[in-house]
Amino acid sequence: MTAKYAIILAAGQGTRMKSKLYKVLHPVCGRPMVDHVLTQIEKNEMDKIVTIIGHGADKVKETLGNRTEYALQSEQLGTGHAVLQAESILGDLDGMTLIACGDTPLFTAKTFSELFEYHKSKGAVATVLTAQAENPFGYGRIIRNEIGIVEKIVEQKDATKEEAAVKEINTGVYVFDNRELFHALHQIKNDNAQGEYYLTDVMEIFKNENKIVAAYRMRNFEESMGVNDRVALSKATKVMRQRINEGHMKNGVTIIDPDNTYIDCDVQIGSDTVIEPGVYLKGRTIVGNDCFIGANSEIVNSILDDEVTVTSSLIEEAHMQKESNIGPYSHLRPLADIGEGVHIGNFVEVKKAKIGKNTKVGHLTYVGDATLGKEINVGCGTVFINYDGINKHHTNVGDYSFIGSGSNIIAPVEVGDHSYIAAGSTITNDVEPHDMAIARGRQVNKKGYYDRYPVAKAAAETEKNEKKQ
């Protein structure tokens, strides 16, 4: 079997992005662009992959890790010069070498596979991946002779008027005979408008040596989209998002309005789940079967088991177990673990807390750094006070307890099973099982105080006027 190698060009800074972040690291649907390219290449069972790095080299290496080898292009002198930096790793090997750019996140493993197979079938030393573009401006043009054989590839800035009118473009992806590639790279020159060493110039060298140069035209131009600025980034993201959403719908997920639903590429969703418009599922979120994700919810790196309902809420690095529900307008922060059948109502925030089976936290409540057992009722306006200004403290509440509305639970405390906390209490000491805790000031009524209240006269005048009418 012929060995397969790949070179990913990722050394450029990308000045048109106008960003501190290096171009190939800009995310598309949850992954940096260069990660998308590497992921699709990896699916073709490669023998070696080399990424050419330059600007932001350390950041690129940090992002891709040991999935690839690296070669440094310290000066950006063109694509031919960039590929040549991989010679110490690949130069003396037999096989085929795929070259792709790190700013083309939409290419698929299938397209790369088809290109390899076409290259082998033609017995070519080089095969360029081409596409038909309605607006070819900015792309290199594929110049063929009268019988359709590729003669050369001309860059936009070097093209004549006739050449610029050609609509078949170079996608920037190639497969080469590996040894022939590095042999030709040593012969290219930089006498062009950019003063750079173009990789495409090896094609003319091969033609002059009467070697076969082939071109494989892909069906979908969108897949070849390169990203050089924020406008192109948004277009690529839209194409990727459509691809992701269609994949989930084909797998049994109902997406009410795909154009307004935003799902990152690593998200997993079970069948018969319904997703309303305005939802954003980010990172490595996992959503089970038969869930309902209501409009304008955002879920980040979280796990939702089967039959979970989320209504217009924010969930971050949290876990919702089977048949639990939340919202509207509530927030699960990191390390929130919501048990089976738990109800989290509206305007509730939960952080670093475990809530047991069938417990209800109705509304306007904060639960932080706490472990709540099963079948507990937490009343409206309850606050688990966990921070003393220096350290966080933990509270435990036992099974079948009742916490009245407006209670303050000041950690660290232990509230036993079957205990009862009276509404409006501020709890600072442990509560034993089956006990009731009351901790509130005694009510005092000030007789006739209203008449001395500053607005009393104004209210009396208003009443008097109303009676006259």
Side-chain angles (χ1 to χ4, degrees):
M1 183 180 291
T2 306
K4 292 186 292 188
Y5 316 114
I7 298 173
I8 302 173
L9 305 181
Q13 185 173 15
T15 55
R16 280 182 281 174
M17 298 296 288
K18 295 184 173 20
S19 174
K20 296 181 291 294
L21 185 64
Y22 301 103
K23 179 169 69 169
V24 298
L25 297 180
H26 278 266
V28 172
C29 295
R31 279 194 194 182
M33 290 191 285
V34 69
D35 193 320
H36 281 293
V37 177
L38 176 57
T39 297
Q40 298 305 312
I41 289 174
E42 287 173 324
K43 293 178 181 180
N44 280 276
E45 299 179 351
M46 309 301 293
D47 293 280
K48 277 183 179 289
I49 302 174
V50 180
T51 300
I52 309 301
I53 52 178
H55 291 288
D58 290 341
K59 290 291 186 182
V60 175
K61 291 173 75 172
E62 181 182 325
T63 299
L64 302 181
N66 60 7
R67 295 161 59 192
T68 170
E69 297 180 59
Y70 300 93
L72 179 66
Q73 186 188 22
S74 55
E75 290 184 272
Q76 276 65 61
L77 301 177
T79 52
H81 178 260
V83 174
L84 194 57
Q85 308 313 301
E87 186 174 29
S88 61
I89 301 173
L90 299 177
D92 61 351
L93 300 177
D94 293 316
M96 302 181 292
T97 297
L98 171 75
I99 296 177
C101 296
D103 60 358
T104 52
L106 299 177
F107 280 114
T108 63
K110 185 173 184 290
T111 295
F112 291 145
S113 177
E114 289 172 351
L115 181 60
F116 272 124
E117 290 304 315
Y118 187 86
H119 175 80
K120 285 171 63 177
S121 70
K122 294 298 181 182
V125 295
T127 302
V128 57
L129 183 66
T130 76
Q132 197 75 5
E134 285 304 309
N135 178 13
F137 183 82
Y139 290 93
R141 307 303 201 277
I142 304 299
I143 307 303
R144 298 178 183 264
N145 65 18
E146 63 279 359
I147 60 173
I149 296 173
V150 176
E151 288 291 325
K152 59 181 178 177
I153 302 172
V154 180
E155 298 301 322
Q156 171 76 42
K157 293 184 178 180
D158 299 310
T160 64
K161 185 177 180 180
E162 292 76 17
E163 290 168 338
V166 173
K167 292 190 174 182
E168 185 179 10
I169 59 96
N170 174 20
T171 66
V173 175
Y174 316 85
V175 171
F176 292 95
D177 175 281
N178 188 66
R179 287 187 181 275
E180 293 282 1
L181 168 62
F182 287 103
H183 169 73
L185 284 172
H186 285 286
Q187 301 177 53
I188 61 175
K189 295 180 171 51
N190 66 343
D191 49 354
N192 51 61
Q194 294 289 90
E196 294 183 348
Y197 296 92
Y198 292 151
L199 175 60
T200 50
D201 286 351
V202 302
M203 304 302 181
E204 195 164 353
I205 292 170
F206 290 146
K207 294 298 292 183
N208 292 336
E209 294 175 351
N210 294 317
K211 294 172 181 174
I212 298 173
V213 174
Y216 176 65
R217 185 183 297 178
M218 61 191 297
R219 292 179 291 277
N220 183 0
F221 169 73
E222 273 187 341
E223 196 174 315
S224 69
M225 187 185 303
V227 175
N228 289 313
D229 57 27
R230 306 292 182 127
V231 175
L233 181 66
S234 70
K235 291 178 180 177
T237 300
K238 185 174 182 179
V239 172
M240 180 72 76
R241 186 168 69 240
Q242 181 181 19
R243 186 187 294 176
I244 291 168
N245 289 355
E246 287 180 358
H248 287 299
M249 289 187 285
K250 288 175 181 176
N251 287 328
V253 177
T254 295
I255 300 178
I256 303 299
D257 184 359
D259 289 339
N260 291 289
T261 301
Y262 311 91
I263 302 174
D264 281 355
C265 60
D266 292 314
V267 171
Q268 301 175 43
I269 309 174
S271 64
D272 290 315
T273 286
V274 177
I275 301 175
E276 290 192 330
V279 168
Y280 205 144
L281 305 181
K282 295 182 177 181
R284 297 186 177 275
T285 290
I286 299 173
V287 179
N289 301 314
D290 301 291
C291 293
F292 176 84
I293 313 297
N296 303 314
S297 295
E298 181 177 344
I299 304 174
V300 185
N301 290 322
S302 296
I303 298 173
L304 276 58
D305 294 346
D306 297 345
E307 301 174 64
V308 166
T309 297
V310 178
T311 306
S312 301
S313 293
L314 171 60
I315 300 173
E316 302 174 279
E317 299 177 27
H319 180 198
M320 293 187 69
Q321 297 182 34
K322 185 176 180 180
E323 296 180 340
S324 59
N325 64 85
I326 185 172
Y329 313 119
S330 288
H331 185 187
L332 298 185
R333 291 169 59 193
L335 300 179
D337 187 354
I338 308 305
E340 184 176 338
V342 167
H343 168 65
I344 304 292
N346 54 305
F347 299 103
V348 173
E349 182 175 330
V350 181
K351 169 252 172 191
K352 199 179 180 182
K354 183 177 178 63
I355 300 180
K357 183 176 181 180
N358 293 334
T359 287
K360 296 176 175 59
V361 184
H363 39 283
L364 298 164
T365 290
Y366 172 71
V367 183
D369 290 274
T371 300
L372 279 61
K374 64 185 178 182
E375 303 285 352
I376 298 169
N377 186 85
V378 180
C380 172
T382 295
V383 180
F384 284 75
I385 300 168
N386 57 338
Y387 185 49
D388 64 9
I390 298 173
N391 297 308
K392 297 289 181 73
H393 301 279
H394 197 83
T395 294
N396 293 310
V397 180
D399 301 340
Y400 300 100
S401 296
F402 180 93
I403 300 177
S405 296
S407 294
N408 297 310
I409 315 297
I410 302 180
V413 293
E414 299 283 332
V415 179
D417 296 345
H418 301 275
S419 60
Y420 193 105
I421 294 176
S425 294
T426 296
I427 303 301
T428 59
N429 298 316
D430 293 349
V431 182
E432 295 297 320
H434 294 267
D435 284 1
M436 180 175 75
I438 304 173
R440 57 194 183 205
R442 180 173 296 178
Q443 180 175 329
V444 176
N445 293 345
K446 299 288 186 180
K447 191 172 180 64
Y449 178 81
Y450 177 80
D451 295 332
R452 300 195 302 274
Y453 192 58
V455 298
K457 290 184 179 179
E461 190 68 28
T462 300
E463 280 186 303
K464 182 177 178 182
N465 291 335
E466 287 176 348
K467 286 178 181 178
K468 285 181 179 179
Q469 294 174 0

